[in-house]
Amino acid sequence: MQKNNVFSGTAGARMYDTEGKIIQAHGGQIQKFTVDGKERWYWIGEDKTDGYRPCGGIHLYSSKDLFEWKDEGIILKTLDHIEEFETSYFKEIYGTLTQQEKEILFTDLDKHNCVIERPKMIYNKKTNKYILWFHADGRCQGSDGDYGKAKAGVAVSDSLTAPFRLFGTYKLNYHNDPNGDFGFDGWAKRGSVRDMNLFQDKDGAAYIIYSSEGNRTTYISKLNDEYTALAKDPDKAVEGEDFTRNFIGNFKEAHAMFQYQNKYYLIQSGCTGWAANPASYAVADHPMGPWKDMGDPCKDSGRETTYDSQSTCVIPLDEEKGWYIYMGDRWNEKDLGDSRYVWLPIEFLPENKIALPRKQNWTFS
């Protein structure tokens, strides 16, 4: 366990909440919010209690110090059957929907068929809303594969700890060239979304980063002022202005963007399923690039698997001190509910370079 202000790091010890239960927040994100006048850390992630399926939805935890985590419950719940829309919990959230709208939404929330991965959240000061985005996939009409839908899901709530209302799932921006190389997605599935993340800049602008074109290209797209959709409809969006295509043909996922001083950094992994692989990172002067590939940030033994982890988030603990935490998942394909978390300090080096050291039971002090 993480205790006594010590991070287990590459030891990958199990992490428990204050009730003694294993924390279920995989592929997730940690950030700080002030709620009811109290500043706390909030951790969202995939609930893998039952493994890959039935899909457990998105779990939330809160902490004062990154070590003791309180279970705040499931903030985006899935349904066992469509009739559950008539129960009090779901009726309060989706009671105004028509039957046809419920049937469409059920495709995205059916715990026996849906896939909900890589949940990320941002807060909009203008609307006072919390916006949740995630990789929405799973079996659906026209595809019996788990990754045939390849969309982005958007949910919104007035409160961080209250149930989120799913608006829907969508394809996003795409390269407007029918003869282009879209990988295994092809032109028919243009705009596909798989691993994704969010980034909110200090000026309030927000971006979604996602793997597309059969995972062979990383897209970075502007969001609208409400953070609930793209800044411009995909059919009208202009490449280079509303979105950029990056690392074309390089097959990257597990995106984790952060800012340090006047530079933007993007840590990613390769695409090898549940198996870990070498990380890579890039640096830019703007969230949309252009990005300069800087190679592998890991420097110690085990770097060929990123110390048996895959990036999901970077926690900006203290920018002035340069205290940033790399947050990775150590996936256990045979028991996803027992997948571990690997947190490591990021070292900032000259010439805008970073390093991820192999550390166990470490502290910043």
Side-chain angles (χ1 to χ4, degrees):
M1 293 177 63
Q2 292 192 165
K3 56 184 179 180
N4 300 327
N5 297 326
V6 175
F7 298 103
S8 76
T10 55
R14 287 190 179 95
M15 294 179 64
Y16 298 87
D17 64 22
T18 53
E19 300 298 319
K21 298 179 180 179
I22 293 178
I23 291 176
Q24 293 291 337
H26 310 282
Q29 170 202 41
I30 292 176
Q31 57 189 313
K32 187 179 287 184
F33 290 111
T34 299
V35 179
D36 297 329
K38 297 180 180 180
E39 191 176 63
R40 296 179 68 86
W41 295 98
Y42 289 88
W43 183 359
I44 60 168
E46 308 162 23
D47 189 302
K48 297 294 189 187
T49 301
D50 297 316
Y52 187 73
R53 195 174 276 122
C55 176
I58 298 175
H59 214 133
L60 173 71
Y61 298 85
S62 66
S63 173
K64 294 183 293 184
D65 56 11
L66 294 178
F67 294 97
E68 292 188 359
W69 291 96
K70 177 186 176 183
D71 186 353
E72 300 285 357
I74 305 291
I75 56 173
L76 185 69
K77 287 189 176 183
T78 53
L79 292 89
D80 187 59
H81 47 79
I82 195 168
E83 288 75 18
E84 273 196 284
F85 275 120
E86 301 308 314
T87 62
S88 58
Y89 178 90
F90 289 103
K91 200 168 187 178
E92 185 174 346
I93 304 171
Y94 301 108
T96 59
L97 297 183
T98 65
Q99 183 61 27
Q100 183 179 14
E101 289 172 331
K102 291 176 182 176
E103 290 173 359
I104 294 172
L105 212 60
F106 181 65
T107 303
D108 301 314
L109 294 174
D110 175 5
K111 66 172 58 178
H112 303 292
N113 288 290
C114 75
V115 171
I116 294 176
E117 296 179 339
R118 302 281 167 181
K120 301 295 184 289
M121 182 196 300
I122 45 180
Y123 174 67
N124 193 307
K125 292 182 179 179
K126 296 179 181 178
T127 63
N128 292 321
K129 305 280 188 184
Y130 294 90
I131 296 89
L132 189 66
W133 285 77
F134 60 93
H135 167 210
D137 230 311
R139 304 163 191 159
C140 60
Q141 186 175 3
S143 175
D144 58 0
D146 288 327
Y147 294 100
K149 185 163 57 177
K151 294 184 177 181
V154 185
V156 178
S157 178
D158 293 327
S159 169
L160 180 58
T161 57
F164 277 67
R165 175 189 173 103
L166 180 64
F167 277 10
T169 60
Y170 312 95
K171 296 286 188 180
L172 299 182
N173 286 320
Y174 58 89
H175 183 45
N176 192 19
D177 180 5
N179 298 315
D181 186 354
F182 289 81
F184 58 75
D185 284 328
W187 174 252
K189 293 183 179 180
R190 60 193 179 277
S192 289
V193 180
R194 291 184 174 83
D195 271 17
M196 52 74 56
N197 208 323
L198 299 176
F199 178 76
Q200 186 177 28
D201 208 349
K202 293 179 179 179
D203 63 3
Y207 305 84
I208 182 168
I209 308 106
Y210 57 98
S211 299
S212 192
E213 298 175 7
N215 283 339
R216 66 186 300 278
T217 302
T218 301
Y219 275 66
I220 302 176
S221 298
K222 294 179 183 177
L223 295 179
N224 63 11
D225 290 342
E226 293 74 31
Y227 307 160
T228 55
L230 295 176
K232 193 175 292 185
D233 186 271
D235 293 333
K236 299 178 181 178
V238 177
E239 186 173 336
E241 295 181 12
D242 304 301
F243 69 95
T244 56
R245 297 166 66 239
N246 308 273
F247 318 112
I248 298 171
N250 283 340
F251 295 93
K252 295 177 181 288
E253 61 183 15
H255 321 287
M257 187 186 294
F258 64 99
Q259 183 180 7
Y260 175 65
Q261 295 182 348
N262 62 341
K263 295 291 182 179
Y264 298 86
Y265 295 81
L266 179 59
I267 300 176
Q268 299 170 291
S269 80
C271 299
T272 53
W274 298 109
N277 56 60
S280 62
Y281 78 102
V283 180
D285 293 321
H286 188 275
M288 293 177 68
W291 292 90
K292 179 182 179 181
D293 191 346
M294 304 293 283
D296 189 343
C298 298
K299 61 180 184 179
D300 299 321
S301 62
R303 58 184 178 274
E304 66 277 1
T305 63
T306 316
Y307 314 126
D308 195 15
S309 75
Q310 185 186 40
S311 51
T312 185
C313 171
V314 171
I315 308 169
L317 189 60
D318 190 322
E319 183 175 359
E320 289 188 6
K321 294 181 179 179
W323 287 3
Y324 284 64
I325 299 175
Y326 160 89
M327 181 175 165
D329 292 286
R330 179 171 289 172
W331 297 110
N332 180 354
E333 184 177 4
K334 294 181 179 179
D335 185 358
L336 288 174
D338 193 34
S339 297
R340 309 296 177 84
Y341 312 101
V342 176
W343 296 9
L344 297 170
I346 294 178
E347 296 179 353
F348 292 94
L349 307 174
E351 299 178 349
N352 303 314
K353 296 179 180 179
I354 64 171
L356 286 180
R358 183 185 186 95
K359 284 185 176 290
Q360 293 187 9
N361 304 317
W362 63 274
T363 68
F364 275 113
S365 59

